[in-house]
Amino acid sequence: MFTYKTEYDVIVVGGGHAGCEAALAAARLGVKTLLITQNLDTIAQMSCNPSIGGLAKGQIVREIDALGGAMGKVADAAALHYHMLNTGKGPAVHSPRVQCDKKIYQFTYKHTLEKQENLDIIQDEVTELSFDGSKLNGVLTLRGTKYISKTVILTTGTFLGGVIHIGNVTMPGGRYGDAASNFLTKNLAALGLNVLRFKTGTPMRINAKHVDFSLFIPQPSDDPFEPMSIFTAPFKRDFLTCYITRTTAKTHEILKQNMRRSALYSGQIKALGPRYCPSVEDKIVKFSGAESHPIFLEPEGFKTQEYYIQGFSTSMPEDVQRELLLSVPGLEKASLTRPGYAIEYDFVDPLELYTTLETKKIPNLFHAGQLNGTTGYEEAGAQGLIAGLNAALKIKNKEPFILRRDQAYAGVMIDDLVTKGVNEPYRMFTSRAEYRIMLRTDNADLRLTDIGIALGSVPERYKENFEKYKAVVKNPDGDYGDMSPWRVENARKTAAIDKLYAAYYDRFKKDAEKLALADNIVIPEGFEPSEVKGILIESAQKLKKIKPKTLGAASRIPGVTPADINLLMIHIERFRNERNK
Amino acid sequence: MNDTICAVITGSCSGAVSVLRLSGPDAWSAVIELSKRQDFSPEPRQVYYLDIFDGGDLLDKSLVTFFKAPHSFTGEDVVEISCHGSPYIKGRLLEILAGKNVRPAKNGEFSMRAFLNGKMDLTQAQGLCDLIAADNAAAHGAAMNSMEGHLSEKFQLIKDILSELLAQIEARLDDVDDEMDAMDTDYSLEALGRAATEIKNLTDTFRTGKYIKDGVKVSIVGAPNAGKSSLLNALLGFGRAIVSEDAGTTRDTIEDAFDYKGRKIILTDTAGIRSHALNAAEREGVERSQAAARAADIIIFTQDISVPAQDAELWNEIKKLGKKVILAENKSDINYSPSGFESQADAVVKISAKTGEGVPELKEQIINLANLDTVDARSNIITSAVHYDMLTKAFDEIEKAKESVALDAGLELTAEHIRRALRNLREIIGEVYADDILGIIFSKFCVGK
């Protein structure tokens, strides 16, 4: 065994959307960081759809962006089609989505990491966490190398114990074409973490050579468009077109006849899936009355004519998948390039985590992304960013960074994960946010960028520009000096939306104050909430399992009553009084 | 704990004087506003004799003490109002204060604030914990037995209507590809209307609920010498009021209570009302009796039926108050000449205050009109001011949601009001989590990956 001489502050295991943001965030805060990934050519790989953003997810990308993350900027560099969703509804639910060239996305991200100071990248597979006694001190790899580090962030996506299903064909794998990570998942279970299993899936890809696009409805890129990142100035590019078509009666007939051959319905897959419909099989079974479902053709890149068929996610055998293509007019002559598949993978119960994304059982070990039972690049990226920041802050002996539910979708997500746990792959929806009207794409920077500057994840030099921007939002008709016209336009747009929703802000402010009050009451070390007399038994059990850090977190555990919280409040006060005697 | 709370701290029994306590940042300003004395800056720990107004009308003259934080029971700004013990005055004060952002306090809430502000020691806090724990278990028990009793069914119904509608709206907000039909305005309005009606029916029972707790307030009015005091004595079963042949003997209002079939009925006898009062004292009496009539839940209009009616003007005045009116036709044993008011009254009872004839029937009618015989105290009645407050707030949000639908202000805003309504009701109906709504959406709409 070889021990690498450099001692790191943070090691990030995994180079997906969570891992990349985690590594960047930690390095930006000035701590010595190493990212280890199985394959450098799949850094920030878009394993599923070729798009970033979307409903509620677009809001999350803007939040990552506002805190200095890379996702939005990289997406703009790789953009081949922009679409602002929900523009027919109120601005609180407008969500930007961008289709990306997958290769440009990957290499732009890889280059971003390569350029980052304080960050090393190495290709290897982590097999085990390394300990000095009970203290985490780094990781061991498949090549027999030991890397020393004060903290470790695991962002292993669907790779832990990954099994791919295509009809009755199964093979181990973290993604089609990439090996699963089986050593690490055993190691985590052995360390006492609660390892659970989920499933998800992805659709087939096709070569568009003989596709008849004239039979589809074209969906051109927005013109003008809004870039994904608030730092990206408007630019010109020859964008590509996406297409919409629909399943037919024939499609449904094929699916019905072959339902028993689907890995999802044959009983082959045991893991839990979401209540919504990730696969076209689900759509047919759960909504048998619907005559047709939409299908979207999305280009995978500028220099390829491979298309991603959104809406055709399936775990049918390959022969059925080919038949399904034949059932859609225009796709009859398309050739299948990669079959759709379902994947089962291990994740760790997020109830094992604190709001900082550090595990409760193993100090200095952080978890982010799909490993926490979420789904989506954006959800993963935001967790990566927050885990990266918190690992770095811990090294620097600073206060942890916790986003509240009234501050960001990222705050809603993490609070949901660590107080409620997950019963299905967790995906963001705008309805999860109590403060939806405040948490918008247009004001993500106003909500978060000052925090980013204070933490160091947003460069200090941006401050002056941002102060001017804030001044224009406050006084949209005032003097805006030398600010770029597009920035002025954004500021004015936000000012107008604030005005539209102003009547709702008062109540939100009051609620948020109450929330902050409860969130500021820390449950002291040594105080056991579940042992408080008078607390309902069910509440006590949940408090014991979840171990909330604050009274606010305790109050959001489902089933815990307001009276429980009152009792806790009194007993915490007593506990403090007695301890201070 | 940054809000202001209030409650009657002297129990619900109708003593001569009751004390209402307010605690929190708006306690002082709310009471000063009620006194209608702008520029009034009271000294802490001084007692003031203040007029308390209900809109433009004088509600009560009360002794009011102001305490400045931290020198108060709770450690916050506190005001204590010693008002007259009438259930009406107390109830009305709580209602007015609720409109000024002062919400009814929950059980033990003053004590809890006192403890958290360091005003109460640990041993005292234990008693407080026991109280909250008992409440917790009881409320939880009620929630667990949600299938029992009409009230829980009603709550469940309101929860279902609002959750279903919210899921329909949220599904549209999630439908970025416009796959679904647009939201049906008629359905939205109909569902909101149904929820509003259910809530209204419940808040309407709060009056009834209060009758059960605090008693029904009945005011006896009529022309001078119609026999009001005799009737009061007959109903009470003893000679509470002085009775004489001279018209205008009763100049002050007299209040007393009796129990009938387990219900408390609070009677007020008033001075006879006529347009031109003879002297200052009588005029004062007339004003008081008008105030009492306004304060009543039910009015007994007493009329000397042995002579042709001369009190049409008074009858019309009383009817204008919009209260339930029982026409008590007195002295019917002497002579009977119908007044013609019979068809306008909510009930007509022929009585003889002297012989006691018709008095039991009159008592029955009081109970009837207060809806007390048709309701079961434990089923579908709101008795808690805290619940009433939550329901009222939820009702207001539903009204705003309706407005938002009607104006087509945006689905996200309609959703916001429905969410707020559900949030206001969460301590009654239980929390409706985002995940519950998503569950309804996923079961009804095909949401893809």
Side-chain angles (χ1 to χ4, degrees), chain A residues 179-358:
Chain A
S181 243
N182 290 323
F183 298 106
L184 188 55
T185 184
K186 282 187 192 122
N187 183 225
L188 294 178
L191 289 168
L193 294 169
N194 186 20
V195 176
L196 302 165
R197 209 154 168 77
F198 271 165
K199 68 173 181 210
T200 183
T202 192
M204 61 197 87
R205 274 66 151 182
I206 55 158
N207 180 347
K209 203 180 337 185
H210 298 121
V211 168
D212 185 355
F213 285 100
S214 70
L215 297 177
F216 309 145
I217 302 164
Q219 190 188 32
S221 182
D222 286 354
D223 183 21
F225 68 92
E226 208 176 280
M228 189 53 88
S229 168
I230 47 170
F231 298 98
T232 305
F235 60 92
K236 282 202 172 11
R237 189 177 291 164
D238 286 328
F239 292 112
L240 303 182
T241 302
C242 294
Y243 296 89
I244 308 171
T245 184
R246 302 195 73 90
T247 58
T248 61
K250 180 82 186 149
T251 316
H252 293 210
E253 197 190 308
I254 295 165
L255 285 165
K256 275 178 201 156
Q257 277 172 4
N258 291 285
M259 203 51 81
R260 283 169 180 281
R261 299 182 63 203
S262 158
L264 290 163
Y265 282 91
S266 63
Q268 189 173 309
I269 298 180
K270 301 272 186 314
L272 277 174
R275 286 169 297 176
Y276 55 86
C277 298
S279 70
V280 71
E281 290 99 295
D282 278 331
K283 292 180 187 179
I284 304 302
V285 171
K286 294 185 185 165
F287 296 91
S288 53
E291 280 174 21
S292 164
H293 296 281
I295 292 175
F296 303 86
L297 277 82
E298 303 172 352
E300 292 245 325
F302 286 108
K303 295 190 174 167
T304 174
Q305 54 183 26
E306 210 175 353
Y307 275 72
Y308 174 94
I309 313 186
Q310 204 226 107
F312 244 6
S313 187
T314 180
S315 67
M316 284 288 182
E318 194 173 334
D319 60 299
V320 179
Q321 296 198 25
R322 287 180 182 279
E323 241 189 290
L324 287 175
L325 285 176
L326 289 174
S327 72
V328 181
L331 289 180
E332 301 99 327
K333 290 181 184 161
S335 60
L336 181 77
T337 52
R338 309 172 203 227
Y341 61 87
I343 182 166
E344 284 183 284
Y345 57 96
D346 290 339
F347 71 99
V348 177
D349 186 350
L351 294 179
E352 296 272 6
L353 304 172
Y354 290 119
T355 320
T356 54
L357 297 181
E358 187 176 3

Side-chain angles (χ1 to χ4, degrees), chain A residues 48 55 85-86 89-93 97 200-201 246 275-278 283 287 292-294 296 310 375 420 424 427 429-434 436-437 501 504 507-508 510-511 513-514 517 533-536 538 556-559 561-564 566-567 569-571 573-574 577-578 581, chain B residues 1-3 101 103 106 112 115-116 122-123 125-126 128-130 132-133 135-137 140 144 166 170-179 397 404 410-417 419-420 423-424 426-427 431 433-449:
Chain A
C48 194
L55 180 78
L85 302 169
N86 262 351
K89 298 159 202 161
V93 292
R97 186 177 66 197
T200 183
R246 302 195 73 90
R275 286 169 297 176
Y276 55 86
C277 298
K283 292 180 187 179
F287 296 91
S292 164
H293 296 281
F296 303 86
Q310 204 226 107
T375 167
K420 301 189 179 83
E424 64 184 335
R427 163 181 166 180
F429 287 94
T430 66
S431 55
R432 294 193 193 273
E434 295 85 351
R436 170 164 61 196
I437 283 170
Y501 289 140
Y504 293 81
R507 168 76 178 273
F508 278 139
K510 269 187 206 156
D511 286 354
E513 274 167 21
K514 269 189 200 161
L517 216 65
K533 208 179 127 214
I535 295 240
L536 299 175
E538 298 94 297
R556 290 187 292 277
I557 296 171
T561 65
D564 288 330
N566 284 345
L567 280 173
M569 208 193 281
I570 295 169
H571 281 273
E573 191 60 28
R574 288 180 63 165
N577 287 347
E578 270 166 11
K581 259 182 203 167
Chain B
M1 294 223 308
N2 44 7
D3 52 356
N101 227 355
R103 68 166 173 81
K106 291 168 196 164
M112 183 163 141
F115 174 75
L116 293 173
L122 295 174
T123 21
Q126 188 52 52
L128 171 60
C129 286
D130 292 344
I132 298 176
D135 255 21
N136 198 13
H140 184 66
M144 289 290 101
L166 184 58
E170 293 290 353
R172 264 67 181 192
L173 289 174
D174 291 345
D175 176 32
V176 295
D177 302 315
D178 293 326
E179 274 286 301
E397 290 296 345
S404 165
L411 288 180
E412 84 279 23
L413 297 180
T414 309
E416 186 55 40
H417 290 297
R419 294 162 100 187
R420 287 179 180 189
R423 214 172 148 62
N424 280 319
R426 75 188 189 284
E427 284 182 41
E431 187 101 43
Y433 292 98
D435 209 50
D436 301 331
I437 300 297
L438 286 173
I440 303 177
I441 296 176
F442 297 151
S443 70
K444 288 186 192 280
F445 300 101
C446 185
V447 177
K449 187 177 163 160

Side-chain angles (χ1 to χ4, degrees), chain A residues 442-459:
Chain A
D442 68 276
N443 69 1
D445 50 349
L446 295 169
R447 291 185 270 126
L448 302 171
T449 296
D450 278 331
I451 303 173
I453 293 172
L455 288 172
S457 62
V458 176

Side-chain angles (χ1 to χ4, degrees), chain A residues 44-61:
Chain A
Q45 166 88 319
M46 303 171 104
S47 314
C48 194
N49 59 335
S51 70
I52 295 287
L55 180 78
K57 294 163 179 267
Q59 277 88 330
I60 294 179
V61 182

Side-chain angles (χ1 to χ4, degrees), chain B residues 8-19 83-91 210-218 240 254-259 263-268 297:
Chain B
V8 176
I9 54 173
T10 42
S12 66
C13 306
S14 174
V17 172
S18 292
V19 179
C83 60
H84 286 98
S86 137
Y88 173 78
I89 292 177
K90 289 185 290 184
K210 276 208 323 196
Y211 294 160
I212 289 172
K213 251 174 87 182
D214 296 337
V216 194
K217 182 111 180 148
V218 178
R240 172 70 173 78
I254 294 173
E255 191 175 290
D256 216 321
F258 67 97
D259 281 342
R263 319 286 193 197
K264 187 173 185 183
I265 294 162
I266 302 154
L267 284 178
T268 318
D297 301 309

